[in-house]
PDB file of all heavy atoms in Angstrom:
ATOM      1  N   ILE A   6      15.988  -7.123 -18.492  1.00  0.00           N
ATOM      2  CA  ILE A   6      16.672  -5.949 -17.827  1.00  0.00           C
ATOM      3  C   ILE A   6      15.804  -5.360 -16.969  1.00  0.00           C
ATOM      4  O   ILE A   6      16.097  -5.038 -15.860  1.00  0.00           O
ATOM      5  CB  ILE A   6      17.118  -5.164 -18.994  1.00  0.00           C
ATOM      6  CG1 ILE A   6      18.429  -5.730 -19.638  1.00  0.00           C
ATOM      7  CG2 ILE A   6      17.445  -3.714 -18.453  1.00  0.00           C
ATOM      8  CD1 ILE A   6      18.925  -4.975 -20.995  1.00  0.00           C
ATOM      9  N   MET A   7      14.647  -5.272 -17.230  1.00  0.00           N
ATOM     10  CA  MET A   7      13.540  -4.488 -16.403  1.00  0.00           C
ATOM     11  C   MET A   7      13.284  -5.302 -15.255  1.00  0.00           C
ATOM     12  O   MET A   7      13.205  -4.820 -14.052  1.00  0.00           O
ATOM     13  CB  MET A   7      12.262  -4.193 -17.094  1.00  0.00           C
ATOM     14  CG  MET A   7      11.444  -3.205 -16.352  1.00  0.00           C
ATOM     15  SD  MET A   7      12.126  -1.571 -16.467  1.00  0.00           S
ATOM     16  CE  MET A   7      12.543  -1.272 -14.741  1.00  0.00           C
ATOM     17  N   SER A   8      13.280  -6.659 -15.267  1.00  0.00           N
ATOM     18  CA  SER A   8      12.934  -7.463 -14.097  1.00  0.00           C
ATOM     19  C   SER A   8      14.168  -7.401 -13.190  1.00  0.00           C
ATOM     20  O   SER A   8      13.950  -7.476 -11.958  1.00  0.00           O
ATOM     21  CB  SER A   8      12.595  -8.864 -14.626  1.00  0.00           C
ATOM     22  OG  SER A   8      13.790  -9.537 -15.025  1.00  0.00           O
ATOM     23  N   GLU A   9      15.461  -7.378 -13.712  1.00  0.00           N
ATOM     24  CA  GLU A   9      16.553  -7.390 -12.958  1.00  0.00           C
ATOM     25  C   GLU A   9      16.911  -6.128 -12.243  1.00  0.00           C
ATOM     26  O   GLU A   9      17.701  -6.020 -11.308  1.00  0.00           O
ATOM     27  CB  GLU A   9      17.693  -7.998 -13.654  1.00  0.00           C
ATOM     28  CG  GLU A   9      17.606  -9.476 -14.085  1.00  0.00           C
ATOM     29  CD  GLU A   9      18.621 -10.002 -15.025  1.00  0.00           C
ATOM     30  OE1 GLU A   9      19.499  -9.255 -15.481  1.00  0.00           O
ATOM     31  OE2 GLU A   9      18.791 -11.248 -14.996  1.00  0.00           O
ATOM     32  N   PHE A  10      16.416  -5.039 -12.841  1.00  0.00           N
ATOM     33  CA  PHE A  10      16.555  -3.760 -12.249  1.00  0.00           C
ATOM     34  C   PHE A  10      15.570  -3.427 -11.118  1.00  0.00           C
ATOM     35  O   PHE A  10      15.842  -2.535 -10.307  1.00  0.00           O
ATOM     36  CB  PHE A  10      16.595  -2.593 -13.127  1.00  0.00           C
ATOM     37  CG  PHE A  10      17.944  -2.437 -13.939  1.00  0.00           C
ATOM     38  CD1 PHE A  10      18.152  -2.705 -15.165  1.00  0.00           C
ATOM     39  CD2 PHE A  10      18.988  -1.983 -13.137  1.00  0.00           C
ATOM     40  CE1 PHE A  10      19.285  -2.431 -15.784  1.00  0.00           C
ATOM     41  CE2 PHE A  10      20.248  -1.610 -13.742  1.00  0.00           C
ATOM     42  CZ  PHE A  10      20.492  -2.011 -15.067  1.00  0.00           C
ATOM     43  N   ALA A  11      14.396  -3.908 -11.318  1.00  0.00           N
ATOM     44  CA  ALA A  11      13.096  -3.514 -10.500  1.00  0.00           C
ATOM     45  C   ALA A  11      13.191  -4.190  -9.092  1.00  0.00           C
ATOM     46  O   ALA A  11      14.011  -5.042  -8.689  1.00  0.00           O
ATOM     47  CB  ALA A  11      11.833  -3.955 -11.199  1.00  0.00           C
ATOM     48  N   ASN A  12      12.538  -3.460  -8.146  1.00  0.00           N
ATOM     49  CA  ASN A  12      12.354  -3.996  -6.790  1.00  0.00           C
ATOM     50  C   ASN A  12      11.234  -5.038  -6.839  1.00  0.00           C
ATOM     51  O   ASN A  12      10.418  -5.088  -7.602  1.00  0.00           O
ATOM     52  CB  ASN A  12      12.192  -2.997  -5.716  1.00  0.00           C
ATOM     53  CG  ASN A  12      10.890  -2.179  -5.938  1.00  0.00           C
ATOM     54  OD1 ASN A  12       9.807  -2.896  -5.911  1.00  0.00           O
ATOM     55  ND2 ASN A  12      10.937  -0.930  -6.014  1.00  0.00           N
ATOM     56  N   LYS A  13      11.209  -5.960  -5.839  1.00  0.00           N
ATOM     57  CA  LYS A  13      10.309  -7.082  -6.037  1.00  0.00           C
ATOM     58  C   LYS A  13       8.827  -6.613  -5.784  1.00  0.00           C
ATOM     59  O   LYS A  13       7.854  -7.347  -6.138  1.00  0.00           O
ATOM     60  CB  LYS A  13      10.640  -8.286  -4.992  1.00  0.00           C
ATOM     61  CG  LYS A  13      10.703  -7.904  -3.588  1.00  0.00           C
ATOM     62  CD  LYS A  13      10.991  -9.048  -2.699  1.00  0.00           C
ATOM     63  CE  LYS A  13      10.953  -8.810  -1.191  1.00  0.00           C
ATOM     64  NZ  LYS A  13      11.341 -10.053  -0.408  1.00  0.00           N
ATOM     65  N   ARG A  14       8.752  -5.424  -4.996  1.00  0.00           N
ATOM     66  CA  ARG A  14       7.249  -5.136  -4.762  1.00  0.00           C
ATOM     67  C   ARG A  14       6.564  -4.421  -5.917  1.00  0.00           C
ATOM     68  O   ARG A  14       5.339  -4.730  -5.922  1.00  0.00           O
ATOM     69  CB  ARG A  14       7.307  -4.005  -3.637  1.00  0.00           C
ATOM     70  CG  ARG A  14       6.067  -3.390  -3.133  1.00  0.00           C
ATOM     71  CD  ARG A  14       6.111  -2.541  -1.978  1.00  0.00           C
ATOM     72  NE  ARG A  14       7.032  -1.396  -2.228  1.00  0.00           N
ATOM     73  CZ  ARG A  14       6.472  -0.295  -2.832  1.00  0.00           C
ATOM     74  NH1 ARG A  14       5.132  -0.162  -3.180  1.00  0.00           N
ATOM     75  NH2 ARG A  14       7.239   0.653  -3.090  1.00  0.00           N
ATOM     76  N   THR A  15       7.269  -3.906  -6.869  1.00  0.00           N
ATOM     77  CA  THR A  15       6.658  -3.185  -8.008  1.00  0.00           C
ATOM     78  C   THR A  15       7.266  -3.888  -9.354  1.00  0.00           C
ATOM     79  O   THR A  15       6.979  -3.231 -10.333  1.00  0.00           O
ATOM     80  CB  THR A  15       6.841  -1.648  -7.959  1.00  0.00           C
ATOM     81  OG1 THR A  15       8.234  -1.399  -7.906  1.00  0.00           O
ATOM     82  CG2 THR A  15       6.188  -1.059  -6.744  1.00  0.00           C
ATOM     83  N   ARG A  16       7.944  -4.883  -9.183  1.00  0.00           N
ATOM     84  CA  ARG A  16       8.549  -5.489 -10.356  1.00  0.00           C
ATOM     85  C   ARG A  16       7.425  -5.803 -11.576  1.00  0.00           C
ATOM     86  O   ARG A  16       7.724  -5.433 -12.750  1.00  0.00           O
ATOM     87  CB  ARG A  16       9.324  -6.792 -10.132  1.00  0.00           C
ATOM     88  CG  ARG A  16      10.080  -7.319 -11.222  1.00  0.00           C
ATOM     89  CD  ARG A  16      10.735  -8.639 -10.771  1.00  0.00           C
ATOM     90  NE  ARG A  16       9.880  -9.626 -10.356  1.00  0.00           N
ATOM     91  CZ  ARG A  16       9.807 -10.215  -9.110  1.00  0.00           C
ATOM     92  NH1 ARG A  16      10.690  -9.858  -8.245  1.00  0.00           N
ATOM     93  NH2 ARG A  16       8.955 -11.028  -8.796  1.00  0.00           N
ATOM     94  N   GLY A  17       6.343  -6.360 -11.302  1.00  0.00           N
ATOM     95  CA  GLY A  17       5.347  -6.559 -12.270  1.00  0.00           C
ATOM     96  C   GLY A  17       4.816  -5.371 -12.946  1.00  0.00           C
ATOM     97  O   GLY A  17       4.731  -5.407 -14.217  1.00  0.00           O
ATOM     98  N   ALA A  18       4.609  -4.301 -12.265  1.00  0.00           N
ATOM     99  CA  ALA A  18       4.153  -3.050 -12.741  1.00  0.00           C
ATOM    100  C   ALA A  18       5.123  -2.442 -13.661  1.00  0.00           C
ATOM    101  O   ALA A  18       4.913  -1.922 -14.782  1.00  0.00           O
ATOM    102  CB  ALA A  18       3.737  -2.045 -11.719  1.00  0.00           C
ATOM    103  N   PHE A  19       6.563  -2.563 -13.458  1.00  0.00           N
ATOM    104  CA  PHE A  19       7.559  -1.993 -14.142  1.00  0.00           C
ATOM    105  C   PHE A  19       7.635  -2.747 -15.605  1.00  0.00           C
ATOM    106  O   PHE A  19       7.882  -2.127 -16.561  1.00  0.00           O
ATOM    107  CB  PHE A  19       8.841  -2.066 -13.510  1.00  0.00           C
ATOM    108  CG  PHE A  19       9.024  -0.912 -12.442  1.00  0.00           C
ATOM    109  CD1 PHE A  19       9.911  -1.097 -11.339  1.00  0.00           C
ATOM    110  CD2 PHE A  19       8.224   0.232 -12.371  1.00  0.00           C
ATOM    111  CE1 PHE A  19       9.968  -0.251 -10.369  1.00  0.00           C
ATOM    112  CE2 PHE A  19       8.309   1.118 -11.449  1.00  0.00           C
ATOM    113  CZ  PHE A  19       9.191   1.011 -10.387  1.00  0.00           C
ATOM    114  N   ILE A  20       7.540  -4.133 -15.386  1.00  0.00           N
ATOM    115  CA  ILE A  20       7.737  -4.850 -16.692  1.00  0.00           C
ATOM    116  C   ILE A  20       6.459  -4.699 -17.491  1.00  0.00           C
ATOM    117  O   ILE A  20       6.483  -4.551 -18.743  1.00  0.00           O
ATOM    118  CB  ILE A  20       7.866  -6.373 -16.343  1.00  0.00           C
ATOM    119  CG1 ILE A  20       9.084  -6.577 -15.458  1.00  0.00           C
ATOM    120  CG2 ILE A  20       8.221  -6.983 -17.782  1.00  0.00           C
ATOM    121  CD1 ILE A  20       9.232  -8.013 -14.966  1.00  0.00           C
ATOM    122  N   ALA A  21       5.152  -4.537 -16.879  1.00  0.00           N
ATOM    123  CA  ALA A  21       3.988  -4.288 -17.688  1.00  0.00           C
ATOM    124  C   ALA A  21       4.146  -2.915 -18.178  1.00  0.00           C
ATOM    125  O   ALA A  21       3.687  -2.757 -19.432  1.00  0.00           O
ATOM    126  CB  ALA A  21       2.945  -4.321 -16.652  1.00  0.00           C
ATOM    127  N   ALA A  22       4.687  -1.896 -17.593  1.00  0.00           N
ATOM    128  CA  ALA A  22       4.840  -0.549 -18.176  1.00  0.00           C
ATOM    129  C   ALA A  22       5.701  -0.684 -19.437  1.00  0.00           C
ATOM    130  O   ALA A  22       5.507   0.105 -20.486  1.00  0.00           O
ATOM    131  CB  ALA A  22       5.348   0.294 -17.123  1.00  0.00           C
ATOM    132  N   VAL A  23       6.740  -1.457 -19.357  1.00  0.00           N
ATOM    133  CA  VAL A  23       7.591  -1.600 -20.558  1.00  0.00           C
ATOM    134  C   VAL A  23       6.831  -2.146 -21.805  1.00  0.00           C
ATOM    135  O   VAL A  23       6.831  -1.628 -22.864  1.00  0.00           O
ATOM    136  CB  VAL A  23       8.775  -2.515 -20.348  1.00  0.00           C
ATOM    137  CG1 VAL A  23       9.455  -2.811 -21.612  1.00  0.00           C
ATOM    138  CG2 VAL A  23       9.876  -1.856 -19.354  1.00  0.00           C
ATOM    139  N   PHE A  24       5.986  -3.185 -21.542  1.00  0.00           N
ATOM    140  CA  PHE A  24       5.242  -3.809 -22.469  1.00  0.00           C
ATOM    141  C   PHE A  24       4.130  -2.937 -23.008  1.00  0.00           C
ATOM    142  O   PHE A  24       3.767  -3.058 -24.151  1.00  0.00           O
ATOM    143  CB  PHE A  24       4.689  -5.051 -21.994  1.00  0.00           C
ATOM    144  CG  PHE A  24       4.196  -6.013 -23.022  1.00  0.00           C
ATOM    145  CD1 PHE A  24       5.045  -6.596 -23.926  1.00  0.00           C
ATOM    146  CD2 PHE A  24       2.811  -6.280 -23.059  1.00  0.00           C
ATOM    147  CE1 PHE A  24       4.509  -7.367 -25.012  1.00  0.00           C
ATOM    148  CE2 PHE A  24       2.311  -7.215 -24.066  1.00  0.00           C
ATOM    149  CZ  PHE A  24       3.121  -7.777 -25.005  1.00  0.00           C
ATOM    150  N   SER A  25       3.659  -2.044 -22.067  1.00  0.00           N
ATOM    151  CA  SER A  25       2.432  -1.131 -22.505  1.00  0.00           C
ATOM    152  C   SER A  25       2.821  -0.090 -23.509  1.00  0.00           C
ATOM    153  O   SER A  25       2.042   0.477 -24.072  1.00  0.00           O
ATOM    154  CB  SER A  25       2.014  -0.357 -21.255  1.00  0.00           C
ATOM    155  OG  SER A  25       2.975   0.746 -20.868  1.00  0.00           O
ATOM    156  N   MET A  26       4.109   0.084 -23.730  1.00  0.00           N
ATOM    157  CA  MET A  26       4.651   0.898 -24.803  1.00  0.00           C
ATOM    158  C   MET A  26       4.137   0.549 -26.156  1.00  0.00           C
ATOM    159  O   MET A  26       4.046   1.208 -27.189  1.00  0.00           O
ATOM    160  CB  MET A  26       6.243   0.982 -24.804  1.00  0.00           C
ATOM    161  CG  MET A  26       6.801   1.700 -23.473  1.00  0.00           C
ATOM    162  SD  MET A  26       6.208   3.301 -23.279  1.00  0.00           S
ATOM    163  CE  MET A  26       7.230   4.165 -24.632  1.00  0.00           C
ATOM    164  N   GLN A  27       3.772  -0.808 -26.296  1.00  0.00           N
ATOM    165  CA  GLN A  27       3.064  -1.350 -27.396  1.00  0.00           C
ATOM    166  C   GLN A  27       1.835  -0.562 -27.804  1.00  0.00           C
ATOM    167  O   GLN A  27       1.593  -0.268 -28.916  1.00  0.00           O
ATOM    168  CB  GLN A  27       2.790  -2.829 -27.425  1.00  0.00           C
ATOM    169  CG  GLN A  27       3.970  -3.699 -27.623  1.00  0.00           C
ATOM    170  CD  GLN A  27       3.527  -5.187 -27.886  1.00  0.00           C
ATOM    171  OE1 GLN A  27       2.467  -5.531 -27.457  1.00  0.00           O
ATOM    172  NE2 GLN A  27       4.301  -5.943 -28.486  1.00  0.00           N
ATOM    173  N   GLY A  28       0.973  -0.307 -26.751  1.00  0.00           N
ATOM    174  CA  GLY A  28      -0.108   0.508 -26.911  1.00  0.00           C
ATOM    175  C   GLY A  28       0.093   1.906 -27.621  1.00  0.00           C
ATOM    176  O   GLY A  28      -0.716   2.328 -28.430  1.00  0.00           O
ATOM    177  N   PHE A  29       1.120   2.483 -27.073  1.00  0.00           N
ATOM    178  CA  PHE A  29       1.442   3.774 -27.518  1.00  0.00           C
ATOM    179  C   PHE A  29       2.000   3.648 -29.050  1.00  0.00           C
ATOM    180  O   PHE A  29       1.841   4.638 -29.723  1.00  0.00           O
ATOM    181  CB  PHE A  29       2.340   4.568 -26.620  1.00  0.00           C
ATOM    182  CG  PHE A  29       1.804   4.887 -25.344  1.00  0.00           C
ATOM    183  CD1 PHE A  29       2.116   4.153 -24.258  1.00  0.00           C
ATOM    184  CD2 PHE A  29       0.843   5.848 -25.169  1.00  0.00           C
ATOM    185  CE1 PHE A  29       1.588   4.562 -22.949  1.00  0.00           C
ATOM    186  CE2 PHE A  29       0.156   6.140 -23.959  1.00  0.00           C
ATOM    187  CZ  PHE A  29       0.568   5.397 -22.859  1.00  0.00           C
TER     188      PHE A  29
END
């Protein structure tokens, strides 16, 4: 869902931010 909503320039950062919620 995050990859399909994101723009291609910052897509990696957005998906990584979703995954970073594990740290919190």
Side-chain angles (χ1 to χ4, degrees):
I6 285 174
M7 196 69 248
S8 73
E9 294 180 342
F10 273 115
N12 65 58
K13 65 180 181 181
R14 185 174 59 85
T15 58
R16 185 179 61 238
F19 285 157
I20 307 174
V23 169
F24 196 66
S25 74
M26 296 297 288
Q27 280 196 334
F29 295 108

